[in-house]
Tab-separated table of all heavy atoms in Angstrom:
chain	number	residue	atom	x	y	z
A	720	ARG	N	111.780	183.609	121.056
A	720	ARG	CA	112.460	183.573	119.748
A	720	ARG	C	113.973	183.557	119.952
A	720	ARG	O	114.469	183.757	121.055
A	720	ARG	CB	112.060	184.753	118.865
A	720	ARG	CG	112.444	186.127	119.365
A	720	ARG	CD	112.196	187.224	118.302
A	720	ARG	NE	110.811	187.384	117.930
A	720	ARG	CZ	110.321	187.076	116.724
A	720	ARG	NH1	111.107	186.601	115.789
A	720	ARG	NH2	109.052	187.279	116.454
A	809	LEU	N	119.412	174.518	130.391
A	809	LEU	CA	118.320	175.329	130.944
A	809	LEU	C	117.016	174.579	130.703
A	809	LEU	O	116.179	174.985	129.894
A	809	LEU	CB	118.306	176.709	130.268
A	809	LEU	CG	119.563	177.556	130.538
A	809	LEU	CD1	119.738	178.648	129.498
A	809	LEU	CD2	119.517	178.174	131.930
A	815	PRO	N	109.006	180.215	141.829
A	815	PRO	CA	109.446	181.067	142.950
A	815	PRO	C	109.090	180.441	144.294
A	815	PRO	O	108.046	179.808	144.429
A	815	PRO	CB	108.670	182.363	142.730
A	815	PRO	CG	107.524	182.008	141.873
A	815	PRO	CD	107.949	180.832	141.048
A	849	GLY	N	109.595	187.998	137.186
A	849	GLY	CA	110.863	187.675	136.524
A	849	GLY	C	111.122	188.560	135.321
A	849	GLY	O	110.234	188.768	134.484
A	850	THR	N	112.345	189.075	135.260
A	850	THR	CA	112.728	189.969	134.159
A	850	THR	C	114.091	189.567	133.580
A	850	THR	O	114.930	190.410	133.296
A	850	THR	CB	112.763	191.440	134.648
A	850	THR	OG1	113.554	191.493	135.845
A	850	THR	CG2	111.373	191.962	134.926
A	851	GLY	N	114.305	188.253	133.447
A	851	GLY	CA	115.483	187.761	132.722
A	851	GLY	C	115.158	187.765	131.228
A	851	GLY	O	114.168	188.370	130.788
A	852	ALA	N	115.971	187.047	130.445
A	852	ALA	CA	115.764	187.042	128.985
A	852	ALA	C	114.366	186.551	128.633
A	852	ALA	O	113.737	187.037	127.678
A	852	ALA	CB	116.817	186.149	128.329
A	853	THR	N	113.840	185.600	129.417
A	853	THR	CA	112.498	185.087	129.154
A	853	THR	C	111.444	186.121	129.523
A	853	THR	O	110.536	186.410	128.733
A	853	THR	CB	112.247	183.799	129.976
A	853	THR	OG1	113.255	182.846	129.665
A	853	THR	CG2	110.878	183.222	129.695
A	856	GLN	N	111.086	188.871	127.024
A	856	GLN	CA	110.377	188.484	125.790
A	856	GLN	C	108.877	188.366	126.026
A	856	GLN	O	108.069	188.802	125.212
A	856	GLN	CB	110.911	187.146	125.265
A	856	GLN	CG	112.297	187.253	124.647
A	856	GLN	CD	112.744	185.970	123.951
A	856	GLN	OE1	112.331	184.874	124.320
A	856	GLN	NE2	113.602	186.093	122.964
A	873	ARG	N	112.582	191.956	140.384
A	873	ARG	CA	113.516	191.987	141.520
A	873	ARG	C	114.835	192.613	141.047
A	873	ARG	O	115.174	193.697	141.452
A	873	ARG	CB	113.739	190.581	142.078
A	873	ARG	CG	114.557	190.593	143.359
A	873	ARG	CD	114.448	189.289	144.111
A	873	ARG	NE	114.866	188.153	143.291
A	873	ARG	CZ	114.601	186.883	143.608
A	873	ARG	NH1	113.928	186.597	144.707
A	873	ARG	NH2	115.018	185.916	142.840
A	874	THR	N	115.527	191.959	140.141
A	874	THR	CA	116.785	192.526	139.643
A	874	THR	C	116.597	192.956	138.188
A	874	THR	O	116.338	192.110	137.334
A	874	THR	CB	117.914	191.460	139.692
A	874	THR	OG1	117.902	190.854	140.982
A	874	THR	CG2	119.260	192.070	139.407
A	993	ARG	N	125.793	189.626	133.220
A	993	ARG	CA	124.765	188.590	133.181
A	993	ARG	C	124.354	188.475	131.723
A	993	ARG	O	124.644	189.374	130.930
A	993	ARG	CB	123.527	189.026	133.976
A	993	ARG	CG	123.716	189.074	135.464
A	993	ARG	CD	122.460	189.665	136.084
A	993	ARG	NE	122.055	188.915	137.249
A	993	ARG	CZ	120.813	188.836	137.696
A	993	ARG	NH1	119.819	189.455	137.055
A	993	ARG	NH2	120.514	188.142	138.767
A	994	ARG	N	123.625	187.436	131.394
A	994	ARG	CA	123.163	187.250	130.012
A	994	ARG	C	122.311	188.470	129.628
A	994	ARG	O	121.373	188.829	130.352
A	994	ARG	CB	122.403	185.937	129.961
A	994	ARG	CG	121.488	185.610	128.817
A	994	ARG	CD	122.000	185.793	127.427
A	994	ARG	NE	121.276	184.905	126.524
A	994	ARG	CZ	120.199	185.261	125.806
A	994	ARG	NH1	119.733	186.480	125.861
A	994	ARG	NH2	119.626	184.378	125.024
A	1043	ALA	N	108.197	183.715	135.114
A	1043	ALA	CA	109.353	183.704	134.197
A	1043	ALA	C	110.587	183.639	135.091
A	1043	ALA	O	111.472	184.488	135.026
A	1043	ALA	CB	109.348	184.953	133.326
A	1045	GLY	N	112.982	181.311	135.644
A	1045	GLY	CA	114.260	180.678	135.333
A	1045	GLY	C	114.385	179.211	135.674
A	1045	GLY	O	113.386	178.493	135.834
A	1158	TRP	N	122.735	182.819	136.777
A	1158	TRP	CA	122.740	181.361	136.622
A	1158	TRP	C	124.111	180.844	136.205
A	1158	TRP	O	124.427	179.685	136.440
A	1158	TRP	CB	121.619	180.874	135.713
A	1158	TRP	CG	121.598	181.344	134.287
A	1158	TRP	CD1	120.868	182.379	133.781
A	1158	TRP	CD2	122.283	180.769	133.168
A	1158	TRP	NE1	121.073	182.492	132.422
A	1158	TRP	CE2	121.943	181.510	132.019
A	1158	TRP	CE3	123.167	179.706	133.024
A	1158	TRP	CZ2	122.438	181.227	130.756
A	1158	TRP	CZ3	123.670	179.410	131.761
A	1158	TRP	CH2	123.307	180.175	130.650
A	1165	ASN	N	115.719	180.812	144.433
A	1165	ASN	CA	114.703	179.800	144.739
A	1165	ASN	C	115.340	178.461	145.107
A	1165	ASN	O	114.633	177.517	145.447
A	1165	ASN	CB	113.754	179.630	143.553
A	1165	ASN	CG	113.088	180.957	143.228
A	1165	ASN	OD1	112.524	181.579	144.121
A	1165	ASN	ND2	113.197	181.411	141.995
B	2398	NAP	P1	116.704	183.963	134.581
B	2398	NAP	O1	117.630	184.744	133.749
B	2398	NAP	O2	117.258	183.138	135.663
B	2398	NAP	O3	115.650	184.979	135.170
B	2398	NAP	C1	114.748	184.627	136.154
B	2398	NAP	C2	114.056	185.877	136.642
B	2398	NAP	O4	113.102	185.543	137.634
B	2398	NAP	C3	115.016	186.864	137.286
B	2398	NAP	O5	114.619	188.155	136.930
B	2398	NAP	C4	114.818	186.597	138.769
B	2398	NAP	O6	115.162	187.682	139.588
B	2398	NAP	C5	113.323	186.355	138.779
B	2398	NAP	N1	112.859	185.630	139.947
B	2398	NAP	C6	113.064	184.336	140.238
B	2398	NAP	N2	112.472	184.024	141.397
B	2398	NAP	C7	111.891	185.144	141.854
B	2398	NAP	C8	111.152	185.458	143.011
B	2398	NAP	N3	110.919	184.534	143.940
B	2398	NAP	N4	110.710	186.721	143.153
B	2398	NAP	C9	110.972	187.639	142.220
B	2398	NAP	N5	111.667	187.416	141.102
B	2398	NAP	C10	112.126	186.176	140.925
B	2398	NAP	O7	115.809	182.989	133.687
B	2398	NAP	P2	115.265	183.214	132.195
B	2398	NAP	O8	114.804	184.594	131.996
B	2398	NAP	O9	114.330	182.099	131.937
B	2398	NAP	O10	116.544	183.037	131.313
B	2398	NAP	C11	117.461	181.985	131.526
B	2398	NAP	C12	118.354	181.871	130.314
B	2398	NAP	O11	117.635	181.224	129.262
B	2398	NAP	C13	118.783	183.172	129.688
B	2398	NAP	O12	119.800	183.801	130.391
B	2398	NAP	C14	119.184	182.707	128.323
B	2398	NAP	O13	120.453	182.150	128.294
B	2398	NAP	C15	118.134	181.649	128.026
B	2398	NAP	N6	117.081	182.265	127.216
B	2398	NAP	C16	117.372	182.447	125.895
B	2398	NAP	C17	116.469	183.068	125.097
B	2398	NAP	C18	116.820	183.282	123.654
B	2398	NAP	O14	117.805	182.820	123.147
B	2398	NAP	N7	116.089	183.999	122.938
B	2398	NAP	C19	115.253	183.495	125.607
B	2398	NAP	C20	114.992	183.287	126.943
B	2398	NAP	C21	115.921	182.670	127.754
B	2398	NAP	P3	116.661	187.775	140.198
B	2398	NAP	O15	117.531	188.063	139.038
B	2398	NAP	O16	116.575	188.850	141.192
B	2398	NAP	O17	116.943	186.433	140.814
Side-chain angles (χ1 to χ4, degrees):
R720 64 171 63 248
L809 296 160
T850 51
T853 303
Q856 287 188 332
R873 187 164 57 195
T874 311
R993 290 174 136 207
R994 163 49 154 95
W1158 61 263
N1165 302 308

